[in-house]
Amino acid sequence: MPGLLVAALADETLDADPGDSGRRNALTARAARPTVPAKEDAWAELLGDGLSLAEKKAVMAGWRHPEQATVLTPFASWYPRTLVNLCRTARPEFTVAFARALYPRFTTAEQRVLAETDELVREAALPGAVCKAVAEERAELVLLRAARACDGTSALS
């Protein structure tokens, strides 16, 4: 139900402001919906040719939310292969933005993500800026895990 409400609000936003800003706000809202189908749609939009870089960044802005770890977990396994492919085919600015915004920081499989990140950095020969972005995102995930451990809150994995 919340996903449908967000979709309706995104449509209202676009109706109220049909320009670039309204379109980007609607894209962000749609990507933020807490359902696997909504995330699949957002992923497809990011990898398609129909959006400008600014619009893709708007989709990325709605992608990752801590309370959506369960919904985002299936996409953690998509990230490494997609990133390697983007390094070969996409513009560097988009690839770095993707590396940062879609890094699986919020997931129920954090330990697997860390291991896959280590393998990705070691084996994939990523371009320097992309490798740096992935390493920084990995460090953020490690920091989040440590902070939760200090706070005594349960980890996601």
Side-chain angles (χ1 to χ4, degrees), residues 131-148:
C131 188
K132 181 178 186 287
V134 170
E136 289 170 354
E137 290 301 317
R138 184 194 186 285
E140 286 289 323
L141 177 54
V142 170
L143 183 62
L144 285 171
R145 289 172 56 98
R148 280 195 305 268

Side-chain angles (χ1 to χ4, degrees), residues 75-143:
F75 300 93
S77 63
W78 297 12
Y79 176 84
R81 182 176 47 249
T82 302
L83 185 61
V84 169
N85 288 336
L86 288 173
C87 287
R88 294 184 194 123
T89 61
R91 291 180 24 216
E93 185 178 4
F94 171 69
T95 304
V96 170
F98 181 96
R100 288 192 184 286
L102 273 75
Y103 184 84
R105 188 185 303 171
F106 304 119
T107 175
T108 59
E110 291 175 344
Q111 198 58 45
R112 180 175 52 101
V113 167
L114 291 171
E116 288 176 355
T117 300
D118 292 341
E119 182 180 343
L120 178 66
V121 169
R122 187 175 55 250
E123 304 292 331
L126 301 173
V130 174
C131 188
K132 181 178 186 287
V134 170
E136 289 170 354
E137 290 301 317
R138 184 194 186 285
E140 286 289 323
L141 177 54
V142 170
L143 183 62

